[in-house]
């Protein structure tokens, strides 16, 4: 089979994706070991939007104590309220839906809330009094004065009281667990060796507020890191580690970067989407004429080593405007006018060749490793791609602690649909991309990412059979390109 079509690469972009494709020397234990404290590495954004930091402590006897600190602002410097969550977690079997994850059951014993201002107390009390049942209608009497440090009970298993629904609160994230380990090279001069980094991936939060109380995760949210084994530097880690419900973490001020998309951006890790999708992304933005190109490499495994298909898409985008709904974000619209698909395994080839005539490229002509233009058929129905197509996006740029430019693109709707109208614009973000080439840098080489394979008798690359072929086939039927 032929390789993927040539791409325009800058060496650092190629190096980053090769690093991810090689698995980045990641180890993941099944079942995972959770004992210890895990903390956010920065200010997190959940759909809504909600701005928060987290600090979770798991004990040897399966009990846990979790802090969730909520804020008014996207820098996590102005606390609103804090939740103290206590309960018990029981790890079960490996997930048959999300490869590499472990399913778990949890039981909440208590949830308490501490307000950090009169405004926060008044707002939350209003939510609870308006939307909760009879047992919560008098949660806080009207006009009650704010008492700094006072802990109010939202949920108690003993009294069978639960007033958490009004906050959109659920801990379903604990029902899907993955722990990854890797070594971070020491960055100090004249130092060799590496340090252990452990990351905790918990289940994703549904992008639809009305669904989040019932949703059982199949993807992940932004990972937490072990308080004793985290990446360095991490200014937020120690601050969050030392915090409690009475002393919420106030994160350091971070400079806001202007929205300058020009250049190339690439994934920082193998990414996971709901419905059994693993991928890496590579984007090129041309600021002079507001055009863009995107490459989406899909895989069947959580280390992004078993390719299934690649999507190339291109089009143009609008000038960004500051978001009024998500502070710190920028709203843009992206028009997708062209797309090409390269199937990389026999399962995907079979699916595309069995698609309805005229709905996805030339009928019955698909073969592994050979790219095909799907623009003439207005996209590919089997992969959920429609052309031409407009998406209403949310972007944000930050600088990390290593002075790298990061690009956050809006989180995809959990139900697999597309943000094809302004009211479906994201209010949270996917995993960040890192800038690997600036606008002024030249693309010096043309290379291709070949699928991982074994040589056959003729010395050519042969595709590896996939142990989850049936699951992947089902997942592809529900795919919406990212």
């Amino acid at each position: 089979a032929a390789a993927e079509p040539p791409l325009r690469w800058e060496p650092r972009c190629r190096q980053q994706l090769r690093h991810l494709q090689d698995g980045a020397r990641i180890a993941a234990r099944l079942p995972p070991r959770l004992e210890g404290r895990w903390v956010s590495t920065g200010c997190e954004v959940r759909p809504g939007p909600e701005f928060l930091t987290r600090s979770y402590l798991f004990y040897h006897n399966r009990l846990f104590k979790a802090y969730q600190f909520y804020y008014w602002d996207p820098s996590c410097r102005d606390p609103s309220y804090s939740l103290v969550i206590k309960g018990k977690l029981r790890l079960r079997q490996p997930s048959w839906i999300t490869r590499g994850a472990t399913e778990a059951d949890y039981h909440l014993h208590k949830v308490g809330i501490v307000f950090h201002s009169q405004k926060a107390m008044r707002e939350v009390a209003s939510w609870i009094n308006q939307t909760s049942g009879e047992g919560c209608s008098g949660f806080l009497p009207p006009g009650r004065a704010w008492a700094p440090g006072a802990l109010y009970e939202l949920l108690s298993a003993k009294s069978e009281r639960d007033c958490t629904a009004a906050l959109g609160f659920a801990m379903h994230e604990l029902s899907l667990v993955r722990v990854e380990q890797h070594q971070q090279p020491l960055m100090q001069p004249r130092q060799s060796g590496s340090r252990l980094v452990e990351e905790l991936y918990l289940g994703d939060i549904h992008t639809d507020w009305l669904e989040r109380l019932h949703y059982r995760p199949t993807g992940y949210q932004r990972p937490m890191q072990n308080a004793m084994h985290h990446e360095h530097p991490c200014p937020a880690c120690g601050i969050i580690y030392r915090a409690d419900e009475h002393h919420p973490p106030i994160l350091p001020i971070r400079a806001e970067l202007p929205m300058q998309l020009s250049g190339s951006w690439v994934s920082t890790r193998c990414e996971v989407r709901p419905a059994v999708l693993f991928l890496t992304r590579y984007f090129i933005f041309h600021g002079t004429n507001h055009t863009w190109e995107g490459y989406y490499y899909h895989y069947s495994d959580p280390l992004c080593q078993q390719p299934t298909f690649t999507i190339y898409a291109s089009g143009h985008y609008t000038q960004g405007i500051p978001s009024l709904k998500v502070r710190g974000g920028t709203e843009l619209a992206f028009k997708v006018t062209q797309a090409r698909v390269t199937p990389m395994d026999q399962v995907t080839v079979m699916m595309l060749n069995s698609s309805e005539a005229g709905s996805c490229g030339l009928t019955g002509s698909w073969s592994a490793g050979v790219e095909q233009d799907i623009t003439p058929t207005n996209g590919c129905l089997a992969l959920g791609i429609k052309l031409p197509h407009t998406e209403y996006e949310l972007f944000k740029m930050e600088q990390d602690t290593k002075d790298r430019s990061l690009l956050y693109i809006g989180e995809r709707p959990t139900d697999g649909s597309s943000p094809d109208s302004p009211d479906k614009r994201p209010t949270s973000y996917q995993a960040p991309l890192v800038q690997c080439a600036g606008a002024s840098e030249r693309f010096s080489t043309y290379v291709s990412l070949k699928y991982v394979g074994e040589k056959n008798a003729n010395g050519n690359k042969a595709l590896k059979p996939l142990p989850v072929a049936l699951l992947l086939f089902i997942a592809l039927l529900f795919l919406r390109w990212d």
Side-chain angles (χ1 to χ4, degrees):
E4 292 182 25
L7 310 181
R8 292 186 301 164
W9 289 96
E10 202 279 335
R12 280 179 296 167
C13 303
R14 176 177 58 190
Q15 181 183 10
Q16 172 68 8
L17 273 182
R18 285 293 186 193
H19 174 68
L20 296 176
Q21 196 180 35
D22 290 341
R25 298 195 178 118
I26 290 172
R29 292 186 51 167
L30 285 175
R33 291 184 61 176
L34 297 182
E35 290 82 4
R37 185 175 292 278
W38 304 82
V39 295
S40 301
T41 56
C43 194
E44 302 177 356
V45 185
R46 284 185 174 180
E50 290 180 328
F51 308 112
L52 77 157
T53 57
R54 296 176 291 158
S55 177
Y56 292 2
L57 177 61
F58 295 94
Y59 299 96
H60 292 284
N61 58 2
R62 301 193 298 189
L63 294 176
F64 69 86
K65 181 179 182 180
Y67 293 117
Q68 292 182 354
F69 307 102
Y70 290 83
Y71 303 80
W72 298 107
D73 68 299
S75 300
C76 290
R77 294 185 52 80
D78 185 10
S80 171
Y81 62 87
S82 299
L83 298 181
V84 191
I85 306 136
K86 296 181 180 180
K88 195 165 191 174
L89 182 72
R90 181 175 69 91
L91 297 177
R92 296 172 57 212
Q93 71 278 356
S95 172
W96 67 272
I97 297 176
T98 307
R99 288 185 66 188
T102 298
E103 295 181 356
D105 291 327
Y106 72 92
H107 179 70
L108 297 182
H109 298 158
K110 284 185 176 182
V111 177
I113 187 170
V114 174
F115 302 104
H116 302 304
S117 68
Q118 181 75 41
K119 177 187 173 185
M121 182 177 185
R122 193 165 53 241
E123 193 169 283
V124 172
S126 173
W127 296 341
I128 294 176
N129 290 338
Q130 288 177 18
T131 61
S132 299
E134 191 175 317
C136 300
S137 57
F139 173 72
L140 285 173
R144 175 86 173 261
W146 170 52
L151 179 69
Y152 301 92
E153 189 176 80
L154 284 172
L155 178 148
S156 170
K158 283 188 177 180
S159 63
E160 298 184 353
R161 186 191 201 201
D162 185 357
C163 305
T164 60
L167 278 68
F169 170 83
M171 287 298 285
H172 299 327
E173 61 192 275
L174 293 177
S175 62
L176 197 69
V177 181
R178 176 178 170 86
V179 172
E180 289 187 357
Q181 294 181 335
H182 67 269
Q183 296 291 329
Q184 180 193 20
L186 298 177
M187 305 300 291
Q188 290 85 352
R190 287 180 252 162
Q191 273 195 318
S192 59
S194 59
R195 63 167 57 88
L196 175 67
V197 175
E198 288 189 309
E199 294 188 306
L200 172 62
Y201 289 81
L202 296 177
D204 60 314
I205 309 299
H206 203 289
T207 54
D208 185 338
W209 183 275
L210 298 176
E211 296 293 332
R212 63 195 295 177
L213 297 182
H214 316 287
Y215 172 65
R216 293 293 171 172
T218 56
Y220 304 118
Q221 57 186 302
R222 176 172 170 171
M224 306 168 77
Q225 292 191 2
N226 190 304
M228 298 295 106
H229 304 290
H230 60 79
E231 288 194 350
H232 291 260
C234 180
C237 293
I239 297 172
I240 298 171
Y241 173 79
R242 292 186 293 271
D244 59 33
E245 68 270 32
H246 305 298
H247 308 91
I250 309 297
L251 299 192
I253 296 176
R254 298 183 68 169
E256 290 189 13
L257 296 183
M259 185 55 61
Q260 295 178 339
L261 286 180
S262 296
S264 301
W265 306 80
V266 68
S267 294
T268 58
R269 55 168 47 102
C270 182
E271 301 170 12
V272 185
R273 296 285 182 279
V276 208
L277 297 176
F278 306 96
L279 78 157
T280 57
R281 297 173 290 154
Y282 172 58
F283 287 99
I284 306 167
F285 296 100
H286 307 280
T288 52
N289 58 5
H290 277 217
T291 59
W292 67 278
E293 301 171 77
Y295 298 88
Y296 307 81
Y297 301 95
H298 290 79
Y299 302 83
S300 64
D301 68 296
L303 294 181
C304 287
Q305 293 181 314
Q306 299 174 10
T308 54
F309 62 96
T310 297
I311 296 173
Y312 165 84
S314 64
H316 54 269
Y317 60 94
T318 63
Q319 186 74 34
I321 60 172
S323 173
L324 297 178
K325 190 169 186 179
V326 186
R327 285 176 56 190
T330 299
E331 296 182 352
L332 303 96
F334 277 75
K335 186 82 174 266
V336 189
T337 54
Q338 292 183 307
R340 303 193 295 263
V341 172
T342 309
M344 302 303 286
D345 72 339
Q346 294 298 343
V347 175
T348 310
V349 169
M350 288 171 54
M351 184 194 69
L352 296 177
N353 278 332
S354 62
S355 59
E356 185 180 342
S359 69
C360 187
L362 292 174
T363 307
S365 66
W366 294 94
S367 58
V370 179
E371 182 184 65
Q372 190 171 149
D373 191 354
I374 58 172
T375 309
T377 54
N378 298 320
C380 179
L381 185 62
L383 296 179
I385 304 173
K386 297 178 182 178
L387 297 174
H389 181 66
T390 299
E391 297 200 339
Y392 295 85
E393 269 296 357
L394 180 74
F395 276 44
K396 177 180 71 168
M397 285 186 65
E398 283 185 359
Q399 200 165 43
D400 69 6
T401 55
K402 301 171 186 172
D403 295 326
R404 301 180 304 174
S405 294
L406 300 180
L407 175 63
Y408 291 83
I409 299 178
E411 191 171 356
R412 308 300 299 178
T414 307
D415 63 6
S417 64
S418 171
D420 53 9
S421 61
D423 62 300
K424 294 181 70 176
R425 192 186 301 272
T427 56
S428 56
Y429 303 98
Q430 302 175 44
L433 306 171
V434 65
Q435 188 167 35
C436 55
S440 61
E441 298 183 54
R442 298 288 179 185
F443 295 90
S444 56
T445 56
Y446 285 75
V447 300
S448 61
L449 278 184
K450 295 183 179 180
Y451 49 78
V452 179
E454 298 171 344
K455 290 186 177 179
N456 59 21
N458 299 323
N460 298 320
K461 288 275 187 174
L463 294 164
K464 290 181 180 178
L466 295 178
V468 289
L470 181 59
L471 279 179
L472 176 62
F473 184 85
I474 295 171
L476 289 173
L477 297 179
F478 296 97
L479 171 72
R480 295 295 183 271
W481 74 274
D482 302 74

